[in-house]
Each structure stands twice: as structure tokens, then as C-alpha cells.
């Protein structure tokens, strides 16, 4: 009896803490979204009020979509994020497999070297990267961003995935070898499905910084046709006047794609967790 | 078909020598068991035969052909692992047929062989299930079935029963024995369980620290061990080793006494001491006697016996069955 009450109390406390955290975390997003639907005056007069018939206005969205090439920015962001993410997951998983599966000279040194990037922020190398991009003529291309983000995402991906892959039974891979599967098939058919939860984790942690980044788009690809959405939204923030309606609308729109991607991966995450629990 | 020869086979990981020169000839249809203490290289040797681990030097021949450079799937072998190692995303049928599919066998052949193997191992009901929906014993039968459908020249087993509980282990052991009789294929089997080794093997290979100590039939190893290591390894409870002088032998260093060749008496024994522990197993009784100079000596008596812990007894030893070993642990055989 007492344990039942005890656990009820504990679960109420846990829920209270989690709900408080959720409210705090979501509040700024909520404020941005509601204000993006209000007229300029209403944003400043009562920023926390929900839009009503008087204050409701789509002017922000109209400006955002008309001004600049908003859809193009959107597309750029999506291309950069999706391609970088794919490359990070593909190369990260392959490198992790090689590190965890094969014995070769310098294996652990290589692992250490590849993981070093977790501790050293890639932005420290911005000047060198810029020089490199200028030399190769990649400035103001999406390729430049994709290359940089792939490099930025790989260390963590390799680190996490190789730890997970080390835990996969050798016998399973050996059974595949005896049945005549190629190393690629063993990687793709036996190992990848078993590290899916880890892949989803890596995907989420890789994707969000890429989508939100302002630094590299500003330095490597500030041209009109390669602007990403975060950079594109900056046009509404001026030195003297800031078009708040448009900024808020642009930011609200920018949340959507990353939310969709997150939902896709988080389903994988949860499936991975429950699969482990039921076994 | 189905012979195996190892010629001076060696394996080192870095500068650690794990297999230090192994020579072995296995005849077609033989059931060979590798036994030895943990870490002696049994699994490594088996994996080298399978082609999962390359050979540092020496040659491995299967069926008369050197296979050192061949990948596992071209060696004509099949392997059963301790952890079952079933493909989690495939059904039982898929698990069993993958190897043949990879080898490009026609569908009808695959169907036929899977059906035969499933019948042999009573897996017919489970063909459409996934490994996660099977019990441990069923999973190991599927793993054996996966090996059977390949119709290999050589079956390799790496401790296939050690993840099963005691009762299931006995059943599966009988099934493997039946399988060997039925298929007549060559089998190489790794275990550290003596009972498995003694009951299944045609010949046992005793390994220690990467070298073969002795090869022989179970009874040869029991009755005629080549050295102290083999004598101590085969037989349970373990053979007792005492100073040869204590049992009246002058031309040897150590005397080996099997527990079953000693009886307790009130007088007339060469050794004597207090009983320190008794194990009643019903069919037999193991008694441990603390003898002053000789240390703890195990005695195995058949049937039930009532002795008091702490009581003094003399040990009567069957002189004709004492094993003699020299200072290096090598057996001194008496010329008959
Ligand atoms: N990949 C490896 N790298 C380095 N050493 C290894 C490797 N694999 C095995 N060894 C070493 O080789 C020795 C033999 O290992 P092996 O797995 O063959 O032992 P085993 O006889 O099968 O033991 P067990 O009965 O515990 O399974 C061990 O000392 C082990 O540490
Ligand atoms: Mg082993």
C-alpha cells in the first residue's frame, strides 16, 4: 500500500518537474508563434496576449514570403541539412564499423583522432576554411556549407556509433561471413538495423545545429541564391528599423521542417528504447 | 570427403602467441572435441579452421585442399555459435536459407533442405517465427538447422550448449549425437564441459596454453593420460596428486590417484586423515579427507555412505592404478 502511494507521489513529482521544464522550454517558441500572427502595434502593447479578431494579422507572413526569396532560403536550408545529415550518417557509420570491426595498425589512434573534433570547435578553423573555399572556388555555394557541416558532424557520429557497434555480438557478424555475406551486406543488413536507435540520436544532435547555424552561411555563402533561412531572416533585422512581424513569421516558419525531421527520428528513438525493454 | 588436417598451425595476436604449433589429422565422419582450460585457444583454433581468423603460419587442409586463403563461405564448413547468432530480422526459414540463397542455389533445393532440417530438429511449427519469439533451446536448434542445410563437409561447434540450462543441455547433447549418427559428417566441437567431451567425442584433443597435450579416445585419456595436465583435466572429481614417496613409490616425483580408486578403511592405508567435507549425490558420495602431508585428498565412493565430518580414516589405495609422473609432469609408464 505504502509503496503504491509512494510511487504515485514520485510520479506526480516527476511529472510536475517535467511539465515545468516543458513549459519553460516551449514558452519562447509559443510567444514567437502567437506574435507572428499579430499586428505590429499589438506585438508591443500586449506581447503575451493571444491574437484576437482585432489584433490578428498575417502581415508578417506576407512580408516574409514576398520580401527576398523566402522559399529559396527555405530550400537551401533543407538541402544543406538533409545532404549533410545523410553524409554524416553514412560516413560516420562506415568509419565506426571499420574502427569497431577490423584490427589494423593505429586503430585506436585513428579513433582518437576522429573523435578529437568533438572537443575542438570547427569555428576555430574558420579563417583557414574560408581560404580553402576561396582557393577551390566554393564560396557562395551550398557545397561549401555541406562540406563544413559534414566535417562538423562526423566526430560525434563516429564516437557514438563505434561505441554502439562494439557491443554487437561478433558471432552474428561471423555467422554472416560463413553464410557468404559481403562485408557491405553485413554492415548494411546486420549491423545498421541494430544501431538504429543510436543513428536516430546522432541524427537529432547533428541536424539541429546545422539548421540553426548562422556563422558559416554568413561567412561562406552570403549570396542571395545560397542564403539559408536563418541568414535570410536577418534581412528584416536592420540597424535602425526591425520588421518584427516579418522576423517572427520567418522564425515560426523555420521551426516547421526541423520539427518534422525530429518527429521522424524520435519515433525511431522510441522504437529503439521499447524494443530493448521488451526483450 | 570431410577430412581436416592442421600442419604446424600457429596464431599470434601482436606479439602474443596464442596457438603455438598444432598438428592434427581428423578423419572423415569423426567427432572431435577440443577441451582445455579457459583462454587456452580453443575458440581461436576453431575460428582459424572456419576462416574467421587468419593463420599466422602453418597450413589448414579441408578435404585434401589447402584452405588458408579461402573465405569462410568457400571452405565447405558450417558453424554453430555459443550465442546462437541468429539474424534478428529474418524468420527461422529465412535464417536457415540465407546461406544457400547467397550461394545461388535454386529455390526448390532450398525449400527441400529447409524442410528436411526442420523435420530433423522438430522446428516445423516455428518456421515463420522470428528468433525473438523463440526460447533459448529452440534458438539453438535453429542455429544447428542453419548449419545442417548447408550440408557442409565439416561442422564446427563453439560451446553450443553453454547458454542452455542443465536439462536442456542434456537433451540438446543427445540431439547432436543423433545428428552426428544420422548425417555421418565430420564435426569439430569446442567445450569446457567434461561430460560433453566424454559422451560425444570419438577423439578428444586436450589443449593447454596453445599446444596439444594429448589426442585420444575418451577412455584412452582416462586410462592412459600422457601427462599430469591431461590426468588432472579428465575425470571428475579431479585426480589427486601427492608426493610419490608418501605412497611408497621411489622412481617417480608425483603420484596420481583417481578418487574412485581409493576407499576408506579404519586401518591399513598408506595415508590417513580427518574428513573435512562430504558431498552426497545419491548415486555416489564424494569425501574430502585432510591428510597431513598429502593435503586434501578426494575419495569417490559409489552408493550412499554415512561418514562423520571430522572422523579419522585411513585411505586404502589400489596400487596397480597409481599413475606416476616425473618432475616435469610427464607420465612414467610401467613396462608390462
Ligand atoms: N582478438 C584478440 N586479440 C588479442 N588476443 C586475443 C584475441 N582473441 C583472443 N585472444 C586471446 O587468445 C587467447 C585464447 O582465446 P580463446 O577465445 O581462443 O580461448 P578459449 O580457449 O576459447 O577460452 P574459453 O573457454 O574461455 O572460451 C586468450 O588468452 C585471449 O585473450
Ligand atoms: Mg571460447
Amino acid at each position: 500500500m505504502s509503496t503504491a502511494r509512494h510511487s504515485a507521489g514520485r510520479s506526480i513529482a516527476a511529472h510536475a518537474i517535467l511539465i515545468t521544464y516543458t513549459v519553460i522550454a516551449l514558452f519562447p517558441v509559443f510567444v514567437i508563434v502567437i506574435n507572428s500572427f499579430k499586428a505590429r502595434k499589438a506585438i508591443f502593447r500586449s506581447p503575451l496576449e493571444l491574437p484576437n479578431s482585432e489584433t490578428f494579422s498575417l502581415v508578417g507572413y506576407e512580408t516574409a514570403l514576398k520580401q527576398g526569396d523566402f522559399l529559396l532560403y527555405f530550400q537551401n536550408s533543407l538541402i544543406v541539412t538533409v545532404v549533410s545529415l545523410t553524409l554524416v550518417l553514412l560516413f560516420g557509420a562506415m568509419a565506426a564499423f571499420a574502427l569497431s570491426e577490423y584490427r589494423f595498425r593505429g586503430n585506436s589512434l585513428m579513433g582518437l583522432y576522429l573523435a578529437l573534433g568533438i572537443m575542438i570547435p570547427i569555428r576555430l578553423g574558420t579563417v583557414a576554411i574560408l581560404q580553402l573555399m576561396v582557393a577551390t572556388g566554393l564560396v557562395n555555394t551550398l557545397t561549401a556549407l555541406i562540406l563544413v557541416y559534414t566535417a562538423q558532424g562526423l566526430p560525434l557520429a563516429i564516437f557514438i556509433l563505434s561505441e554502439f557497434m562494439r557491443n554487437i555480438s561478433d558471432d552474428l557478424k561471423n555467422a554472416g561471413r560463413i553464410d557468404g555475406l559481403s562485408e557491405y551486406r553485413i554492415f548494411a543488413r546486420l549491423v545498421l538495423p541494430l544501431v538504429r536507435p543510436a543513428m536516430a540520436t546522432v541524427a537529432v544532435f547533428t541536424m539541429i545545429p546545422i539548421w540553426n547555424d548562422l556563422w558559416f552561411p554568413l561567412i561562406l555563402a552570403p549570396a542571395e541564391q545560397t542564403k539559408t533561412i536563418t541568414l535570410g531572416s536577418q534581412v528584416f533585422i536592420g540597424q535602425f528599423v526591425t520588421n518584427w512581424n516579418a522576423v517572427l513569421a520567418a522564425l515560426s516558419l523555420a521551426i516547421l521542417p526541423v520539427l518534422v525531421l525530429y518527429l521522424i527520428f524520435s519515433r525511431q528513438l522510441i522504437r529503439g528504447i521499447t524494443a530493448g525493454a521488451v526483450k | 570427403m570431410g577430412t581436416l588436417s592442421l600442419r604446424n598451425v600457429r596464431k599470434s595476436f601482436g606479439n602474443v602467441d596464442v596457438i603455438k604449433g598444432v598438428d592434427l589429422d581428423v578423419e572423415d565422419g569423426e567427432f572431435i572435441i577440443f577441451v582445455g582450460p579457459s583462454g587456452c585457444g580453443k575458440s581461436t583454433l576453431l575460428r582459424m579452421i572456419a576462416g574467421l581468423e587468419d593463420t599466422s603460419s602453418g597450413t589448414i587442409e579441408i578435404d585434401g585442399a589447402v584452405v588458408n586463403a579461402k573465405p569462410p563461405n568457400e571452405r565447405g564448413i558450417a558453424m554453430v555459435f555459443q550465442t546462437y547468432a541468429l539474424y534478428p530480422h529474418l524468420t527461422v526459414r529465412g535464417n536457415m536459407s540465407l546461406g544457400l540463397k547467397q550461394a545461388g542455389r535454386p529455390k526448390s533445393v532450398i525449400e527441400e533442405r529447409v524442410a528436411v532440417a526442420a523435420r530433423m530438429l522438430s522446428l516445423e511449427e516455428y518456421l515463420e517465427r522470428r528468433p525473438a519469439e523463440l526460447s533459448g533451446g529452440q534458438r539453438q536448434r535453429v542455429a544447428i538447422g542453419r548449419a545442417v542445410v548447408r550440408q557442409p563437409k565439416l561442422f564446427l561447434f563453439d560451446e553450443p550448449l553453454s547458454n542452455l540450462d542443465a536439462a536442456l543441455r542434456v537433451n540438446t547433447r543427445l540431439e547432436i549425437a543423433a545428428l552426428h549418427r544420422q548425417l555421418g559428417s565430420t564435426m569439430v566441437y569446442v567445450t569446457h564441459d567434461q561430460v560433453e567431451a566424454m559422451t560425444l567425442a570419438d577423439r578428444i584433443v586436450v589443449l593447454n596454453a596453445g599446444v596439444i597435450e594429448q589426442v585420444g579416445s575418451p577412455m584412452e585419456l582416462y586410462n592412459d593420460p600422457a601427462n599430469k595436465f591431461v590426468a588432472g583435466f579428465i575425470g571428475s572429481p579431479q585426480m589427486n596428486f601427492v608426493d610419490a614417496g608418501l605412497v611408497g613409490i621411489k622412481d617417480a616425483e608425483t603420484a596420481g590417484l583417481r578418487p574412485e580408486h581409493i576407499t576408506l578403511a579404519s586401518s591399513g592405508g598408506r595415508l590417513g586423515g580427518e574428513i573435512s567435507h562430504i558431498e552426497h549425490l545419491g548415486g555416489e558420495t564424494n569425501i574430502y579427507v585432510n591428510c597431513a602431508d598429502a593435503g586434501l585428498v578426494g575419495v569417490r565412493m559409489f552408493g550412499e555412505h554415512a561418514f562423520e565430518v571430522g572422523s579419522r580414516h585411513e585411505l586404502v589405495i589400489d596400487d596397480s592404478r597409481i599413475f606416476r609422473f616425473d618432475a616435469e609432469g610427464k607420465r612414467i609408464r610401467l613396462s608390462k
Side-chain angles (χ1 to χ4, degrees), chain A residues 218-244:
Chain A
L218 191 62
I219 291 166
L220 297 179
E224 185 60 24
Q225 69 293 359
T226 55
K227 268 185 188 159
T228 60
I229 186 117
T230 359
L231 185 57
S233 311
Q234 305 300 312
V235 301
F236 305 115
I237 300 178
Q239 194 174 356
F240 306 107
V241 247
T242 295
N243 187 341
W244 285 110

Short mmCIF file of all heavy atoms in Angstrom, two decimals, chain A residues 218-244:
data_model
loop_
_atom_site.label_atom_id
_atom_site.label_comp_id
_atom_site.label_asym_id
_atom_site.label_seq_id
_atom_site.Cartn_x
_atom_site.Cartn_y
_atom_site.Cartn_z
N LEU A 218 26.82 32.92 -43.13
CA LEU A 218 27.19 34.33 -43.21
C LEU A 218 28.57 34.49 -43.84
O LEU A 218 28.81 35.40 -44.62
CB LEU A 218 27.18 34.91 -41.79
CG LEU A 218 27.28 36.42 -41.66
CD1 LEU A 218 26.08 37.07 -42.33
CD2 LEU A 218 27.31 36.81 -40.19
N ILE A 219 29.48 33.56 -43.51
CA ILE A 219 30.86 33.71 -43.97
C ILE A 219 31.09 33.05 -45.32
O ILE A 219 31.76 33.61 -46.19
CB ILE A 219 31.81 33.12 -42.92
CG1 ILE A 219 31.77 34.00 -41.67
CG2 ILE A 219 33.23 32.99 -43.45
CD1 ILE A 219 32.38 33.38 -40.47
N LEU A 220 30.52 31.85 -45.49
CA LEU A 220 30.86 31.08 -46.69
C LEU A 220 29.85 31.26 -47.82
O LEU A 220 30.21 31.10 -48.98
CB LEU A 220 30.96 29.59 -46.34
CG LEU A 220 32.06 29.21 -45.35
CD1 LEU A 220 32.01 27.71 -45.08
CD2 LEU A 220 33.42 29.60 -45.87
N ALA A 221 28.61 31.57 -47.49
CA ALA A 221 27.61 31.60 -48.56
C ALA A 221 26.58 32.70 -48.34
O ALA A 221 25.38 32.43 -48.22
CB ALA A 221 26.92 30.23 -48.65
N PRO A 222 27.02 33.98 -48.28
CA PRO A 222 26.06 35.04 -48.02
C PRO A 222 25.31 35.52 -49.27
O PRO A 222 24.46 36.39 -49.17
CB PRO A 222 26.94 36.16 -47.45
CG PRO A 222 28.29 35.91 -48.04
CD PRO A 222 28.39 34.47 -48.36
N ALA A 223 25.63 34.96 -50.44
CA ALA A 223 24.98 35.43 -51.67
C ALA A 223 23.49 35.13 -51.63
O ALA A 223 23.04 34.24 -50.93
CB ALA A 223 25.62 34.75 -52.88
N GLU A 224 22.75 35.94 -52.39
CA GLU A 224 21.29 35.85 -52.38
C GLU A 224 20.81 34.42 -52.68
O GLU A 224 19.96 33.89 -51.99
CB GLU A 224 20.74 36.84 -53.41
CG GLU A 224 19.24 36.96 -53.44
CD GLU A 224 18.65 37.43 -52.11
OE1 GLU A 224 19.38 38.09 -51.33
OE2 GLU A 224 17.48 37.11 -51.83
N GLN A 225 21.42 33.79 -53.69
CA GLN A 225 20.86 32.49 -54.10
C GLN A 225 21.31 31.34 -53.21
O GLN A 225 20.84 30.22 -53.34
CB GLN A 225 21.09 32.21 -55.59
CG GLN A 225 22.48 31.96 -56.11
CD GLN A 225 23.41 33.16 -56.03
OE1 GLN A 225 23.06 34.27 -55.58
NE2 GLN A 225 24.65 32.96 -56.45
N THR A 226 22.23 31.58 -52.27
CA THR A 226 22.63 30.48 -51.39
C THR A 226 22.30 30.74 -49.92
O THR A 226 22.70 29.98 -49.07
CB THR A 226 24.15 30.22 -51.49
OG1 THR A 226 24.83 31.45 -51.23
CG2 THR A 226 24.55 29.70 -52.85
N LYS A 227 21.56 31.83 -49.65
CA LYS A 227 21.23 32.12 -48.26
C LYS A 227 20.40 31.00 -47.64
O LYS A 227 19.52 30.44 -48.30
CB LYS A 227 20.40 33.41 -48.19
CG LYS A 227 21.26 34.63 -47.98
CD LYS A 227 20.39 35.84 -47.79
CE LYS A 227 21.27 37.07 -47.77
NZ LYS A 227 20.53 38.29 -48.07
N THR A 228 20.69 30.69 -46.38
CA THR A 228 19.83 29.75 -45.66
C THR A 228 18.78 30.55 -44.92
O THR A 228 18.85 31.78 -44.84
CB THR A 228 20.63 28.93 -44.64
OG1 THR A 228 21.22 29.83 -43.71
CG2 THR A 228 21.72 28.11 -45.32
N ILE A 229 17.82 29.83 -44.35
CA ILE A 229 16.69 30.52 -43.74
C ILE A 229 17.10 31.38 -42.55
O ILE A 229 16.61 32.49 -42.36
CB ILE A 229 15.59 29.52 -43.35
CG1 ILE A 229 14.34 30.24 -42.85
CG2 ILE A 229 16.04 28.56 -42.30
CD1 ILE A 229 13.18 29.99 -43.70
N THR A 230 18.05 30.88 -41.75
CA THR A 230 18.48 31.68 -40.58
C THR A 230 19.13 32.98 -41.05
O THR A 230 18.91 34.04 -40.47
CB THR A 230 19.51 30.91 -39.73
OG1 THR A 230 19.72 29.64 -40.30
CG2 THR A 230 19.08 30.79 -38.31
N LEU A 231 19.91 32.88 -42.11
CA LEU A 231 20.56 34.08 -42.63
C LEU A 231 19.53 34.98 -43.31
O LEU A 231 19.53 36.20 -43.13
CB LEU A 231 21.66 33.68 -43.62
CG LEU A 231 22.52 34.81 -44.17
CD1 LEU A 231 23.18 35.58 -43.05
CD2 LEU A 231 23.58 34.24 -45.11
N GLY A 232 18.62 34.35 -44.06
CA GLY A 232 17.59 35.10 -44.78
C GLY A 232 16.72 35.92 -43.84
O GLY A 232 16.34 37.05 -44.15
N SER A 233 16.43 35.36 -42.66
CA SER A 233 15.57 36.09 -41.71
C SER A 233 16.24 37.35 -41.21
O SER A 233 15.57 38.27 -40.74
CB SER A 233 15.25 35.21 -40.49
OG SER A 233 14.81 33.95 -40.92
N GLN A 234 17.57 37.40 -41.31
CA GLN A 234 18.29 38.56 -40.79
C GLN A 234 17.99 39.82 -41.60
O GLN A 234 18.22 40.92 -41.10
CB GLN A 234 19.81 38.33 -40.81
CG GLN A 234 20.25 37.09 -40.08
CD GLN A 234 19.88 37.11 -38.61
OE1 GLN A 234 20.12 38.09 -37.94
NE2 GLN A 234 19.26 36.03 -38.15
N VAL A 235 17.50 39.69 -42.84
CA VAL A 235 17.27 40.89 -43.64
C VAL A 235 16.22 41.79 -43.00
O VAL A 235 16.21 42.99 -43.23
CB VAL A 235 16.82 40.57 -45.09
CG1 VAL A 235 17.85 39.73 -45.79
CG2 VAL A 235 15.45 39.92 -45.11
N PHE A 236 15.37 41.20 -42.15
CA PHE A 236 14.33 42.02 -41.53
C PHE A 236 14.84 42.73 -40.29
O PHE A 236 14.17 43.54 -39.71
CB PHE A 236 13.12 41.15 -41.17
CG PHE A 236 12.60 40.38 -42.34
CD1 PHE A 236 12.66 39.00 -42.37
CD2 PHE A 236 12.05 41.06 -43.43
CE1 PHE A 236 12.17 38.30 -43.46
CE2 PHE A 236 11.57 40.36 -44.52
CZ PHE A 236 11.64 38.97 -44.54
N ILE A 237 16.03 42.32 -39.84
CA ILE A 237 16.61 42.99 -38.67
C ILE A 237 17.58 44.04 -39.19
O ILE A 237 18.67 43.71 -39.67
CB ILE A 237 17.33 41.99 -37.75
CG1 ILE A 237 16.34 40.92 -37.27
CG2 ILE A 237 17.97 42.71 -36.57
CD1 ILE A 237 16.94 39.85 -36.41
N GLY A 238 17.18 45.28 -39.12
CA GLY A 238 18.03 46.33 -39.63
C GLY A 238 18.75 47.04 -38.49
O GLY A 238 18.50 46.78 -37.31
N GLN A 239 19.66 47.95 -38.89
CA GLN A 239 20.38 48.68 -37.85
C GLN A 239 19.44 49.67 -37.16
O GLN A 239 19.54 49.91 -35.98
CB GLN A 239 21.56 49.41 -38.48
CG GLN A 239 22.55 49.92 -37.47
CD GLN A 239 23.76 50.51 -38.15
OE1 GLN A 239 23.89 50.47 -39.38
NE2 GLN A 239 24.65 51.08 -37.37
N PHE A 240 18.48 50.23 -37.93
CA PHE A 240 17.61 51.26 -37.37
C PHE A 240 16.19 50.77 -37.18
O PHE A 240 15.56 51.04 -36.19
CB PHE A 240 17.64 52.50 -38.27
CG PHE A 240 19.04 52.98 -38.50
CD1 PHE A 240 19.67 52.80 -39.72
CD2 PHE A 240 19.76 53.58 -37.45
CE1 PHE A 240 20.96 53.23 -39.93
CE2 PHE A 240 21.06 53.98 -37.65
CZ PHE A 240 21.67 53.82 -38.89
N VAL A 241 15.69 50.04 -38.16
CA VAL A 241 14.34 49.51 -38.04
C VAL A 241 14.37 48.01 -38.18
O VAL A 241 15.09 47.47 -39.01
CB VAL A 241 13.39 50.02 -39.17
CG1 VAL A 241 12.32 50.91 -38.59
CG2 VAL A 241 14.17 50.62 -40.29
N THR A 242 13.58 47.37 -37.35
CA THR A 242 13.46 45.93 -37.47
C THR A 242 12.00 45.61 -37.74
O THR A 242 11.11 46.07 -37.04
CB THR A 242 13.91 45.24 -36.18
OG1 THR A 242 15.30 45.49 -36.01
CG2 THR A 242 13.68 43.75 -36.25
N ASN A 243 11.77 44.83 -38.79
CA ASN A 243 10.42 44.44 -39.12
C ASN A 243 10.06 43.20 -38.29
O ASN A 243 10.26 42.08 -38.71
CB ASN A 243 10.31 44.14 -40.61
CG ASN A 243 8.88 43.89 -41.02
OD1 ASN A 243 8.03 43.59 -40.18
ND2 ASN A 243 8.62 44.02 -42.30
N TRP A 244 9.54 43.46 -37.07
CA TRP A 244 9.30 42.34 -36.15
C TRP A 244 8.29 41.36 -36.67
O TRP A 244 8.46 40.15 -36.49
CB TRP A 244 8.87 42.88 -34.78
CG TRP A 244 10.04 43.45 -34.03
CD1 TRP A 244 10.29 44.75 -33.75
CD2 TRP A 244 11.17 42.72 -33.53
NE1 TRP A 244 11.49 44.90 -33.11
CE2 TRP A 244 12.05 43.65 -32.96
CE3 TRP A 244 11.52 41.37 -33.52
CZ2 TRP A 244 13.25 43.29 -32.38
CZ3 TRP A 244 12.71 41.01 -32.94
CH2 TRP A 244 13.57 41.96 -32.37
#
